[in-house]
Structures are given as C-alpha cells and as structure tokens.
Amino acid sequence: MIGHRSKSFQDLYADLQPKLQALFYTQGPVFFSTSSAWGVMEAAVRNLTNRKVLCCANGAFSDKWYDVALRSGKDAERLTFPWGTPIDPEAVRQKLSTGEFDALTVIHNETSTGLMNPLSEIAAVMREFPEVSFIVDTVSSFSALRIPFDELGIDVMLASTQKALALPPGAALFAVSARALAKAETVPGRGYYFDFIEFQRNHEKNMTPSTPAIGHLYALRQKLAEIAAEGIEKRYARHRENAEIVRSWVKERGFALFPKEGFASLSLTCASNTRKIDVAQWIQILRSRFQCVIDGGYGKLKGQTFRISHMGDETPETVRQLLERLDECLAELG
Ligand SMILES: *Cc1c(COP(=O)(O)O)cnc(C)c1O
C-alpha cells in the first residue's frame, strides 16, 4: 500500500485524471469519492441547492433522491412520472419557469425500470435556465454509451464503480462544472466529507480530501487500461449489441419490454412478465443450476417484471449463454 499523501499517490491520481476526463468528455476535474453513489448524490444536493431542488422521479432511485434531498434539510419538490415512462422535458421547462428552483436532479438510467431518460432533450431545456444546477446520476449508464458532460452543460455527473464499470463496490467518480464549483462556495451546510470545494482544493495537488480507497484506484487504473485496449467506440457498440440480443429474446419469448417504446436502457433490460410465469422460481433454478443471477423485479415491480443486466464486461457471447440457460430453466417451469 502507498500513503495517500505520498508522491506515489499523486502520480497515480495524476495518471488517471486525463483518462477519466476523456470518459466524462470534460476538460474539468473528475473527482474520486470513497463512498457509493449515494454519498455523491446527497452531496450534489447539499452543495448546490440554495433555494429549492426539483427531483425528477420515475423509478425507485429517482423517487428516493427526493427523500434524500429532504433529509439533507433542503427544500425539495418531486416531479413524478409513472414508472416506465420517461421524464417529459416540457414538464421540466414548465416547473423551472416558476423560478422557484436552483437545482434539478435527473437519473439518466433508471436501473429499477430499465429506462433511459432523454438526456439531450432535458439538457436542451436546461440551457434556458443557467442558474439551475443540472445534476445527473449516470450510475448504471456511465461508460456504456457516450455521455458528453461539457457538451450537454451538465453541472454534476456521477457514477459508482460497481455498475457499468464492473468494479467492486465502494467508490464513486464525479465531474463538477466550474459554474457549479463557484456556486458551491455560496451554499452553506456543505459539511466536510463531501464538500466539493475540499475536493477541488485537494485535486489541485492530485489528492483527495480524506484517505481514499486506494485499492479501488488501482482497480480503476486496470479497468481504464482495459477500456482503452478494447476501444471506447467498440465498448459502446458492444453494449448496444448486448441490448439488442436481450430485447429480441424478450420479445421472441412472448414477454414485453417494460419501459415505454424507444426508452429501453442500453445497459440492462427490464421485461414485463406478460406470460405470468413464476419469476422467483425461475430465478431460483437459474441460480442453483448455473450460479447465474438475474433480478426478479425491483420493489413494487417484484414478480411483475424481471431484469437482465448486460453492462460492464458482458459480451454477446456471455449474454447468449445466459439466455440459453434462461430458456432451459423456463422449460422446467411447467
Ligand atoms: C445502484 C444505483 C444507485 C445507488 O448506488 P450506490 O452505489 O448503491 O450508492 C443510484 N442510482 C442508480 C441509477 C443506481 O442504479
């Protein structure tokens, strides 16, 4: 192990920075947090809400972000859409036009419903409201497709390590715009551990505010090397191909995609259990026979849906193998 105030650490941090900036498509800093995504999700609200935060909610994670904003002592409002239905950019425009809000939270890829929200369209609306901080969770989509931070005018974009990066859990990455850093200085109650200004100050010395999970940085270095070796465009194409294979299988087997047409996620597929099979039993057979895992539906969607991940290191080959095994287990359900 190396010390987190050592030259070796600074070299490691500095080595990762340009590679992370390339993945975030930003000229600005990318910070490393020793926390899961929720640490940074809470931090973003605490660092960037002076007046009131509008939380777009159309799934389990985005519903909860509103609650986290309230628990952080912020004035917050939820803009709700039914699960499986995308955020309507026009509804966002109408809400922000009231002038009540100075921050907006959006979950790009709602992992609970397998839905990808229309980020470019929302970003276009956000350009009309430069005083409103644009906070985006890309936890389960980061590195699965191009999400250009600078070009979209995002203020905070965050991802944890254990989803599309396919690394162990326990760390998160986040980019913060210069505009957001300047605003954070004016927001009281930022605390210490997640104070964006502390991150920026330490970043200037290639360090983090407190002792980071250095082991994760080594893992990240290895993952970034793997991403570079594959080629980023190939990585994106692989995720698209994985998604197409799973979506076709879902339809061919007589199930349906849960999200509204055109908004299915690239990194995981949430299927409606239109055949009314015993999802729990199916998953149990899969697990015991093949030690493979799919999910039996998140929260209130348990049993009515199932979710298949095809992000991170999954390939068309591993995805096809999983689907064959799912078929074999499905045949036994009777
Ligand atoms: C998993 C997930 C989270 C929570 O991430 P943690 O790393 O557990 O804090 C937040 N948002 C989305 C979209 C997720 O998929």
Side-chain angles (χ1 to χ4, degrees), residues 87 140 172 312 331-332:
I87 296 167
S140 57
E332 277 180 38

Side-chain angles (χ1 to χ4, degrees), residues 77-99:
E77 189 174 321
R78 187 155 41 186
L79 180 59
T80 307
F81 305 92
W83 284 26
T85 304
I87 296 167
D88 173 11
E90 188 47 42
V92 172
R93 175 185 281 120
Q94 279 176 18
K95 271 287 170 196
L96 296 183
S97 298
T98 62

Side-chain angles (χ1 to χ4, degrees), residues 6 206 264:
S6 68
N206 290 315

Side-chain angles (χ1 to χ4, degrees), residues 35-39 41 61-62 107-112 137-141 158-163 169-172 307:
S35 68
S36 74
W38 275 114
M41 291 164 80
F61 292 102
S62 45
I107 292 199
H108 175 226
N109 193 58
E110 241 309 342
T111 321
S112 61
D137 164 323
T138 58
V139 171
S140 57
S141 52
L158 64 115
S160 48
T161 45
Q162 80 277 19
K163 303 277 173 79
R307 298 181 302 159

Side-chain angles (χ1 to χ4, degrees), residues 52-92:
K52 191 173 182 181
V53 56
L54 183 65
C55 303
C56 297
N58 58 346
F61 292 102
S62 45
D63 285 358
K64 184 168 158 183
W65 210 346
Y66 164 73
D67 185 45
V68 168
L70 292 179
R71 293 193 199 193
S72 303
K74 296 297 183 182
D75 200 0
E77 189 174 321
R78 187 155 41 186
L79 180 59
T80 307
F81 305 92
W83 284 26
T85 304
I87 296 167
D88 173 11
E90 188 47 42
V92 172

Side-chain angles (χ1 to χ4, degrees), residues 292-309:
C292 285
V293 178
I294 67 162
D295 174 81
Y298 198 105
K300 65 186 182 189
L301 297 178
K302 199 178 180 69
Q304 300 167 35
T305 60
F306 56 89
R307 298 181 302 159
I308 300 175
S309 162

